[in-house]
Amino acid sequence: QQQVKQSPQSLIVQKGGISIINCAYENTAFDYFPWYQQFPGKGPALLIAIRPDVSEKKEGRFTISFNKSAKQFSLHIMDSQPGDSATYFCAASRARGVTSGSRLTFGEGTQLTVNP
Amino acid sequence: GAVVSQHPSRVICKSGTSVKIECRSLDFQATTMFWYRQFPKQSLMLMATSNEGSKATYEQGVEKDKFLINHASLTLSTLTVTSAHPEDSSFYICSADLGGDTQYFGPGTRLTVL
């Protein structure tokens, strides 16, 4: 059962444009929503994260928009650069358990290409 | 801060041999460590969750006798792929959390089984 659905699968954007990646979740117990960036052959790196008590969070060129009623959240990359070309994963987790820790459920990933 | 390392970064082994991958949290004590595998152009698949000093919790469909996890200390977890076969070839990634919600990922280990 895929609990976090991510779209699009791939995205091509021109330099300076806005990249938008969307995710939808099913489990209303999720209360933490991070985005990870992964370059080929490397581990994922945390970009930005949000909790359901706010509708938007911005860090530099990266913004998360969160719609609790629709159970959707999205990543916006402003002024996209060729160096942003990577795979992006959304994820979700619920309150950590004693043995489960911060167990993440990942989306399928979006391959972003920013053309110069 | 919150750096996670893995060793080795790449390993090639013959079918039938066992391979050990180490995951270390370098500048923090990890409450929980996680092991994932990732196939090309796919998402991360959680294999198991481990807490120091206790047995790992494996995800459904993951053979615990094949993928042995030892969480010996608050800074070290190991994954041993026993009797490896070509279908075990994958990118193995560990992560750790500090007791909060954020997971910090290692750089990954590329396993190739010939």
Side-chain angles (χ1 to χ4, degrees), chain A residues 32 36 51 96 102-103 107, chain B residues 38 43 59 97 101-103:
Chain A
Y32 177 71
Y36 285 87
R51 293 190 183 279
R96 63 178 290 111
S102 56
R103 191 178 181 280
Chain B
Q38 185 179 34
S43 189
E59 294 298 302
D97 71 30
D101 293 310
T102 301
Q103 283 187 34

Side-chain angles (χ1 to χ4, degrees), chain B residues 73-114:
Chain B
S73 73
L74 286 171
T75 60
L76 174 64
S77 177
T78 60
L79 168 68
T80 301
V81 183
T82 62
S83 186
H85 291 282
E87 58 266 31
D88 299 324
S89 298
S90 189
F91 193 51
Y92 291 87
I93 313 171
C94 72
S95 70
D97 71 30
L98 293 80
D101 293 310
T102 301
Q103 283 187 34
Y104 298 93
F105 284 81
T109 296
R110 173 76 59 196
L111 170 63
T112 302
V113 185
L114 302 177

Side-chain angles (χ1 to χ4, degrees), chain B residues 25-57:
Chain B
S25 55
L26 297 185
D27 52 359
F28 66 99
Q29 292 186 327
T31 304
T32 308
M33 285 184 164
F34 305 84
W35 286 96
Y36 296 83
R37 66 188 298 182
Q38 185 179 34
F39 292 106
K41 298 193 183 300
Q42 292 191 21
S43 189
L44 287 80
M45 185 188 81
L46 179 65
M47 299 175 67
T49 301
S50 73
N51 294 282
E52 184 260 343
S54 60
K55 289 185 177 180
T57 302

